[in-house]
Amino acid sequence: FLICLSIEDIKNRGSISRIRINNLDIYFITAYLALTLLLKWAAHTKITESLKEQNIAYTQMSTRPAPMNTILWNANVDAGDQYLIGDYSFFDSKPIAFTSFPKKRKEAASLISKDEVQRLIAVSEGWYILEKEKEQWIYNDLRFGLISIDPQDPKFVFRYKLTEEVNGSITAEEDRPDSSNMKGIFGALWDRIWGN
C-alpha cells in the first residue's frame, strides 16, 4: 500500500500508469479489509467455542485485533459480576485462558451514580471496571485492553483516577500506565502472536 502511494506520487496526474497504481491500491485495501472481516469472524467463532467448552456463561462479548496485526485477537466477555479478558492467536495450540476482573458495581454504587462517571461509562460503552488503589478509585476502560506485561499487575491502556471534590463532583484525571518499557511490551506482543 505505502509502496503504491510512493510510486503514485512521482507519476504525472492523470497518467494511465498513475490511474493503474491507484486502482491497485484500492484492490489491496479492499482485499485487506475483506480478509480482516473474515479473520474477525474466525476469531470470534473460536473464542465463542472456547467459552462453551469451558462452560462459561456470558451476556455479551467484544472482539478486536491486538495492535498492528490481525493474527492475535483480544476478547472482553461480560460474565455477570465480572469481565473475562482473553486473547487468541491463530497459531495457538492450547485453550484460551481468560483472566477475571470483578466489576465491583456494588462497592462503587455511589461513585457510579455521579454525572462525571456516567459520562465515562457512556464513552466506554459500558465496558469498564472500577478498582481501588491506595484509597483512590481508578476507572478502567476495557475497550482497548491491557498494556502491562506483568500478569501480577495488569494495567489497562485507558485508566482514570477519580477524585471527589469538596462540592461532591468528580474529577477524572487520565492515568496512563508507565510506557518506559515499550520495547518489552512490543516484544511480549510479538511473542504472543506466534501462539501460546
Side-chain angles (χ1 to χ4, degrees), residues 59-174:
T59 56
Q60 60 179 324
M61 178 175 51
S62 170
T63 55
R64 67 199 168 281
M68 299 179 293
N69 78 97
T70 54
I71 302 298
L72 179 63
W73 290 76
N74 302 123
N76 291 346
V77 180
D78 187 340
D81 60 351
Q82 64 183 339
Y83 287 112
L84 302 175
I85 297 180
D87 47 42
Y88 168 69
S89 168
F90 288 106
F91 297 115
D92 278 354
S93 58
K94 299 175 187 171
I96 298 170
F98 294 96
T99 304
S100 172
F101 293 91
K103 291 182 180 179
K104 299 185 180 171
R105 301 291 200 262
K106 289 180 183 174
E107 298 92 320
S110 63
L111 194 64
I112 291 170
S113 66
K114 303 281 187 177
D115 289 342
E116 297 84 1
V117 176
Q118 284 296 313
R119 282 197 291 272
L120 287 172
I121 292 169
V123 168
S124 62
E125 300 170 357
W127 290 98
Y128 73 98
I129 60 170
L130 289 159
E131 60 185 342
K132 227 172 191 181
E133 289 181 4
K134 299 177 183 174
E135 298 305 311
Q136 178 156 40
W137 281 103
I138 305 292
Y139 180 96
N140 294 294
D141 186 334
L142 274 61
R143 293 172 305 147
F144 300 96
L146 297 162
I147 194 170
S148 175
I149 56 176
D150 181 2
Q152 302 303 318
D153 186 28
K155 299 286 184 201
F156 289 90
V157 174
F158 287 102
R159 43 187 272 136
Y160 301 89
K161 289 181 180 177
L162 302 179
T163 306
E164 188 163 4
E165 303 296 338
V166 178
N167 63 4
S169 66
I170 299 292
T171 302
E173 177 188 353
E174 190 173 1

